[in-house]
CSV table of all heavy atoms in Angstrom, one decimal:
chain,number,residue,atom,x,y,z
A,40,SER,N,-9.2,12.7,-10.8
A,40,SER,CA,-8.2,12.4,-9.7
A,40,SER,C,-6.8,12.7,-10.2
A,40,SER,O,-6.4,12.3,-11.2
A,40,SER,CB,-8.3,10.9,-9.4
A,40,SER,OG,-7.3,10.7,-8.4
A,41,ARG,N,-6.1,13.5,-9.4
A,41,ARG,CA,-4.8,13.9,-9.7
A,41,ARG,C,-3.7,13.2,-9.0
A,41,ARG,O,-2.5,13.6,-8.8
A,41,ARG,CB,-4.5,15.5,-9.5
A,41,ARG,CG,-5.5,16.4,-10.4
A,41,ARG,CD,-5.1,16.2,-11.8
A,41,ARG,NE,-6.0,17.2,-12.6
A,41,ARG,CZ,-5.9,17.3,-13.9
A,41,ARG,NH1,-5.0,16.6,-14.6
A,41,ARG,NH2,-6.8,18.0,-14.6
A,42,HIS,N,-4.1,12.0,-8.4
A,42,HIS,CA,-3.2,11.3,-7.6
A,42,HIS,C,-1.9,10.9,-8.4
A,42,HIS,O,-2.0,10.3,-9.5
A,42,HIS,CB,-3.9,10.0,-7.0
A,42,HIS,CG,-2.9,9.2,-6.2
A,42,HIS,ND1,-2.4,9.4,-5.0
A,42,HIS,CD2,-2.3,8.0,-6.6
A,42,HIS,CE1,-1.6,8.5,-4.6
A,42,HIS,NE2,-1.4,7.6,-5.6
A,43,ARG,N,-0.8,11.1,-7.8
A,43,ARG,CA,0.5,10.6,-8.3
A,43,ARG,C,1.2,10.0,-7.2
A,43,ARG,O,1.4,10.5,-6.1
A,43,ARG,CB,1.3,11.7,-8.9
A,43,ARG,CG,0.8,12.3,-10.3
A,43,ARG,CD,1.7,13.4,-10.8
A,43,ARG,NE,1.6,14.6,-10.1
A,43,ARG,CZ,2.4,15.6,-10.2
A,43,ARG,NH1,3.4,15.5,-11.0
A,43,ARG,NH2,2.1,16.7,-9.7
A,44,THR,N,1.7,8.7,-7.4
A,44,THR,CA,2.4,8.0,-6.4
A,44,THR,C,3.7,8.7,-6.1
A,44,THR,O,4.1,8.8,-4.8
A,44,THR,CB,2.7,6.5,-6.9
A,44,THR,OG1,1.5,5.9,-7.2
A,44,THR,CG2,3.4,5.7,-5.8
A,45,LEU,N,4.4,9.1,-7.1
A,45,LEU,CA,5.7,10.0,-6.9
A,45,LEU,C,5.4,11.4,-7.4
A,45,LEU,O,5.0,11.6,-8.5
A,45,LEU,CB,6.8,9.3,-7.6
A,45,LEU,CG,7.1,7.8,-7.3
A,45,LEU,CD1,8.3,7.3,-8.1
A,45,LEU,CD2,7.4,7.7,-5.7
A,46,MET,N,5.7,12.3,-6.6
A,46,MET,CA,5.4,13.7,-7.0
A,46,MET,C,6.5,14.7,-6.5
A,46,MET,O,7.0,14.7,-5.5
A,46,MET,CB,4.1,14.2,-6.4
A,46,MET,CG,3.6,15.5,-6.9
A,46,MET,SD,1.9,16.0,-6.2
A,46,MET,CE,2.6,16.8,-4.8
A,47,ASN,N,6.9,15.5,-7.5
A,47,ASN,CA,7.9,16.5,-7.2
A,47,ASN,C,7.2,17.7,-6.4
A,47,ASN,O,6.0,17.9,-6.5
A,47,ASN,CB,8.5,17.2,-8.4
A,47,ASN,CG,9.2,16.2,-9.3
A,47,ASN,OD1,9.3,15.0,-8.9
A,47,ASN,ND2,9.8,16.6,-10.4
A,48,ILE,N,8.1,18.5,-5.6
A,48,ILE,CA,7.5,19.6,-4.9
A,48,ILE,C,8.8,20.7,-4.9
A,48,ILE,O,9.9,20.2,-4.7
A,48,ILE,CB,7.0,19.3,-3.6
A,48,ILE,CG1,6.2,20.5,-3.0
A,48,ILE,CG2,8.1,18.9,-2.6
A,48,ILE,CD1,4.9,20.7,-3.6
A,51,LYS,N,12.5,19.6,-5.7
A,51,LYS,CA,12.8,18.3,-5.2
A,51,LYS,C,12.0,17.2,-5.7
A,51,LYS,O,10.8,17.4,-5.9
A,51,LYS,CB,12.8,18.3,-3.6
A,51,LYS,CG,13.6,19.4,-2.9
A,51,LYS,CD,15.0,19.2,-3.1
A,51,LYS,CE,15.8,20.2,-2.3
A,51,LYS,NZ,17.3,20.1,-2.5
A,52,ALA,N,12.6,16.0,-6.1
A,52,ALA,CA,12.0,14.9,-6.5
A,52,ALA,C,12.3,13.6,-5.8
A,52,ALA,O,13.5,13.5,-5.3
A,52,ALA,CB,12.4,14.7,-8.1
A,53,PRO,N,11.3,12.8,-5.5
A,53,PRO,CA,11.7,11.5,-4.7
A,53,PRO,C,12.7,10.6,-5.5
A,53,PRO,O,12.7,10.6,-6.8
A,53,PRO,CB,10.3,10.9,-4.7
A,53,PRO,CG,9.3,11.9,-5.0
A,53,PRO,CD,10.0,12.8,-5.9
A,54,SER,N,13.5,10.0,-4.8
A,54,SER,CA,14.4,9.0,-5.2
A,54,SER,C,14.1,7.7,-4.7
A,54,SER,O,14.3,7.4,-3.4
A,54,SER,CB,15.9,9.4,-5.0
A,54,SER,OG,16.8,8.4,-5.4
A,55,VAL,N,13.6,6.7,-5.5
A,55,VAL,CA,13.2,5.4,-5.0
A,55,VAL,C,14.1,4.4,-5.7
A,55,VAL,O,14.2,4.3,-6.8
A,55,VAL,CB,11.7,5.1,-5.2
A,55,VAL,CG1,11.3,3.8,-4.7
A,55,VAL,CG2,10.9,6.3,-4.6
A,56,HIS,N,14.7,3.5,-4.8
A,56,HIS,CA,15.5,2.4,-5.5
A,56,HIS,C,14.7,1.5,-6.3
A,56,HIS,O,13.5,1.3,-6.1
A,56,HIS,CB,16.2,1.7,-4.3
A,56,HIS,CG,17.2,0.7,-4.7
A,56,HIS,ND1,17.0,-0.5,-5.3
A,56,HIS,CD2,18.6,0.9,-4.8
A,56,HIS,CE1,18.1,-1.1,-5.6
A,56,HIS,NE2,19.1,-0.3,-5.3
A,59,ALA,N,12.9,-1.2,-4.6
A,59,ALA,CA,11.8,-0.9,-3.5
A,59,ALA,C,10.4,-1.0,-4.1
A,59,ALA,O,10.2,-0.9,-5.3
A,59,ALA,CB,12.1,0.5,-3.0
A,60,PHE,N,9.4,-1.1,-3.2
A,60,PHE,CA,8.1,-1.2,-3.6
A,60,PHE,C,7.3,0.0,-3.0
A,60,PHE,O,7.3,0.2,-1.8
A,60,PHE,CB,7.4,-2.5,-3.1
A,60,PHE,CG,5.9,-2.6,-3.3
A,60,PHE,CD1,5.3,-2.5,-4.5
A,60,PHE,CD2,5.1,-2.6,-2.1
A,60,PHE,CE1,3.9,-2.5,-4.6
A,60,PHE,CE2,3.7,-2.6,-2.2
A,60,PHE,CZ,3.1,-2.6,-3.3
A,61,VAL,N,6.6,0.8,-3.9
A,61,VAL,CA,5.7,1.8,-3.5
A,61,VAL,C,4.4,1.5,-4.0
A,61,VAL,O,4.2,1.3,-5.2
A,61,VAL,CB,6.2,3.1,-4.0
A,61,VAL,CG1,5.2,4.2,-3.5
A,61,VAL,CG2,7.6,3.5,-3.5
A,62,ALA,N,3.4,1.2,-3.1
A,62,ALA,CA,2.1,0.8,-3.6
A,62,ALA,C,1.4,2.0,-4.4
A,62,ALA,O,1.7,3.2,-4.1
A,62,ALA,CB,1.2,0.6,-2.2
A,63,PRO,N,0.6,1.7,-5.3
A,63,PRO,CA,0.1,2.6,-6.2
A,63,PRO,C,-0.9,3.6,-5.4
A,63,PRO,O,-1.0,4.8,-6.0
A,63,PRO,CB,-0.8,1.9,-7.2
A,63,PRO,CG,-1.0,0.5,-6.5
A,63,PRO,CD,0.1,0.2,-5.6
A,64,SER,N,-1.4,3.4,-4.4
A,64,SER,CA,-2.2,4.4,-3.6
A,64,SER,C,-1.5,5.2,-2.6
A,64,SER,O,-2.0,6.0,-1.9
A,64,SER,CB,-3.4,3.6,-2.9
A,64,SER,OG,-3.0,2.7,-2.0
A,65,ALA,N,-0.1,5.0,-2.5
A,65,ALA,CA,0.7,5.7,-1.6
A,65,ALA,C,1.0,7.0,-2.2
A,65,ALA,O,1.0,7.2,-3.5
A,65,ALA,CB,2.0,5.0,-1.2
A,66,SER,N,1.5,8.0,-1.5
A,66,SER,CA,1.9,9.3,-2.0
A,66,SER,C,3.4,9.6,-1.4
A,66,SER,O,3.5,9.7,-0.1
A,66,SER,CB,1.0,10.4,-1.5
A,66,SER,OG,-0.3,10.3,-2.2
A,67,VAL,N,4.3,9.6,-2.3
A,67,VAL,CA,5.7,9.9,-1.9
A,67,VAL,C,6.1,11.3,-2.6
A,67,VAL,O,6.3,11.3,-3.8
A,67,VAL,CB,6.7,8.8,-2.4
A,67,VAL,CG1,8.1,9.1,-2.0
A,67,VAL,CG2,6.2,7.5,-1.7
A,68,ILE,N,6.3,12.3,-1.8
A,68,ILE,CA,6.3,13.7,-2.3
A,68,ILE,C,7.5,14.4,-1.9
A,68,ILE,O,7.9,14.5,-0.6
A,68,ILE,CB,5.1,14.4,-1.8
A,68,ILE,CG1,3.7,13.7,-2.2
A,68,ILE,CG2,5.1,15.9,-2.3
A,68,ILE,CD1,2.5,14.2,-1.4
A,69,GLY,N,8.3,15.0,-2.9
A,69,GLY,CA,9.4,15.9,-2.5
A,69,GLY,C,10.7,15.2,-2.3
A,69,GLY,O,11.1,14.3,-2.9
A,70,ASP,N,11.5,15.8,-1.3
A,70,ASP,CA,12.8,15.3,-1.0
A,70,ASP,C,12.9,14.0,-0.2
A,70,ASP,O,13.1,14.1,1.1
A,70,ASP,CB,13.4,16.5,-0.2
A,70,ASP,CG,15.0,16.3,-0.1
A,70,ASP,OD1,15.5,15.3,-0.6
A,70,ASP,OD2,15.7,17.1,0.5
A,71,ILE,N,12.7,12.9,-0.9
A,71,ILE,CA,12.7,11.7,-0.2
A,71,ILE,C,13.5,10.6,-0.8
A,71,ILE,O,13.5,10.6,-2.0
A,71,ILE,CB,11.1,11.1,-0.2
A,71,ILE,CG1,10.2,12.0,0.6
A,71,ILE,CG2,11.0,9.7,0.4
A,71,ILE,CD1,8.7,11.7,0.6
A,73,VAL,N,14.2,6.5,-0.8
A,73,VAL,CA,13.8,5.1,-0.3
A,73,VAL,C,14.8,4.0,-0.8
A,73,VAL,O,15.1,4.0,-2.0
A,73,VAL,CB,12.4,4.8,-0.8
A,73,VAL,CG1,12.0,3.4,-0.3
A,73,VAL,CG2,11.3,5.9,-0.5
A,78,SER,N,9.7,-0.9,1.6
A,78,SER,CA,8.3,-0.9,1.0
A,78,SER,C,7.5,0.1,1.7
A,78,SER,O,7.6,0.3,2.8
A,78,SER,CB,7.7,-2.3,1.3
A,78,SER,OG,7.8,-2.7,2.5
A,79,ILE,N,6.8,0.9,0.8
A,79,ILE,CA,5.9,1.8,1.2
A,79,ILE,C,4.4,1.4,0.9
A,79,ILE,O,4.2,1.3,-0.3
A,79,ILE,CB,6.2,3.3,0.6
A,79,ILE,CG1,7.6,3.6,0.6
A,79,ILE,CG2,5.3,4.4,1.2
A,79,ILE,CD1,8.1,3.8,2.0
A,80,TRP,N,3.6,1.2,1.8
A,80,TRP,CA,2.4,0.3,1.6
A,80,TRP,C,1.2,1.2,1.3
A,80,TRP,O,1.3,2.5,1.2
A,80,TRP,CB,2.1,-0.6,2.8
A,80,TRP,CG,3.2,-1.7,2.8
A,80,TRP,CD1,4.4,-1.7,3.2
A,80,TRP,CD2,3.1,-3.0,2.1
A,80,TRP,NE1,5.1,-2.8,3.0
A,80,TRP,CE2,4.3,-3.6,2.3
A,80,TRP,CE3,2.1,-3.7,1.5
A,80,TRP,CZ2,4.5,-4.9,1.9
A,80,TRP,CZ3,2.3,-4.9,1.0
A,80,TRP,CH2,3.6,-5.6,1.2
A,81,TYR,N,0.1,0.6,1.1
A,81,TYR,CA,-1.2,1.3,0.6
A,81,TYR,C,-1.7,2.3,1.5
A,81,TYR,O,-1.8,2.1,2.6
A,81,TYR,CB,-2.2,0.2,0.3
A,81,TYR,CG,-1.8,-0.9,-0.6
A,81,TYR,CD1,-1.3,-2.1,-0.1
A,81,TYR,CD2,-1.9,-0.8,-2.0
A,81,TYR,CE1,-0.8,-3.1,-0.9
A,81,TYR,CE2,-1.4,-1.8,-2.8
A,81,TYR,CZ,-1.0,-3.0,-2.3
A,81,TYR,OH,-0.4,-4.1,-3.1
A,82,GLY,N,-1.9,3.5,0.9
A,82,GLY,CA,-2.4,4.6,1.7
A,82,GLY,C,-1.5,5.4,2.4
A,82,GLY,O,-1.9,6.4,3.1
A,83,CYS,N,-0.2,5.1,2.4
A,83,CYS,CA,0.8,5.9,3.1
A,83,CYS,C,1.0,7.3,2.5
A,83,CYS,O,0.9,7.4,1.2
A,83,CYS,CB,2.1,5.2,3.2
A,83,CYS,SG,2.1,3.8,4.2
A,84,VAL,N,1.3,8.3,3.2
A,84,VAL,CA,1.7,9.6,2.7
A,84,VAL,C,3.1,9.9,3.4
A,84,VAL,O,3.2,10.0,4.5
A,84,VAL,CB,0.7,10.6,3.1
A,84,VAL,CG1,1.2,12.0,2.7
A,84,VAL,CG2,-0.7,10.4,2.6
A,85,LEU,N,4.1,10.1,2.5
A,85,LEU,CA,5.4,10.6,2.9
A,85,LEU,C,5.6,12.0,2.2
A,85,LEU,O,5.7,12.1,1.0
A,85,LEU,CB,6.4,9.6,2.5
A,85,LEU,CG,6.7,8.4,3.3
A,85,LEU,CD1,5.4,7.4,3.1
A,85,LEU,CD2,7.9,7.6,2.8
A,86,ARG,N,5.6,13.0,3.1
A,86,ARG,CA,5.7,14.4,2.6
A,86,ARG,C,6.9,15.1,2.9
A,86,ARG,O,7.1,15.6,4.0
A,86,ARG,CB,4.4,15.1,3.0
A,86,ARG,CG,4.3,16.4,2.4
A,86,ARG,CD,2.9,17.0,2.4
A,86,ARG,NE,2.2,17.0,3.7
A,86,ARG,CZ,2.2,18.0,4.5
A,86,ARG,NH1,2.8,19.1,4.2
A,86,ARG,NH2,1.6,17.9,5.6
A,87,GLY,N,7.9,15.1,2.1
A,87,GLY,CA,9.1,15.7,2.2
A,87,GLY,C,9.2,17.1,1.5
A,87,GLY,O,9.9,17.3,0.6
A,218,ASN,N,1.1,-6.0,-8.8
A,218,ASN,CA,0.7,-4.6,-9.4
A,218,ASN,C,1.3,-4.3,-10.8
A,218,ASN,O,0.9,-3.4,-11.4
A,218,ASN,CB,1.2,-3.6,-8.4
A,218,ASN,CG,0.2,-3.4,-7.2
A,218,ASN,OD1,-0.8,-2.8,-7.4
A,218,ASN,ND2,0.5,-4.0,-6.1
Side-chain angles (χ1 to χ4, degrees):
S40 172
R41 298 292 181 181
H42 172 76
R43 286 184 284 168
T44 302
L45 304 178
M46 191 178 88
N47 299 3
I48 194 75
K51 303 296 184 182
S54 174
V55 178
H56 192 279
F60 167 65
V61 179
S64 59
S66 296
V67 178
I68 304 166
D70 189 1
I71 297 176
V73 180
S78 53
I79 314 299
W80 291 81
Y81 305 94
C83 287
V84 176
L85 282 65
R86 182 153 59 89
N218 278 283

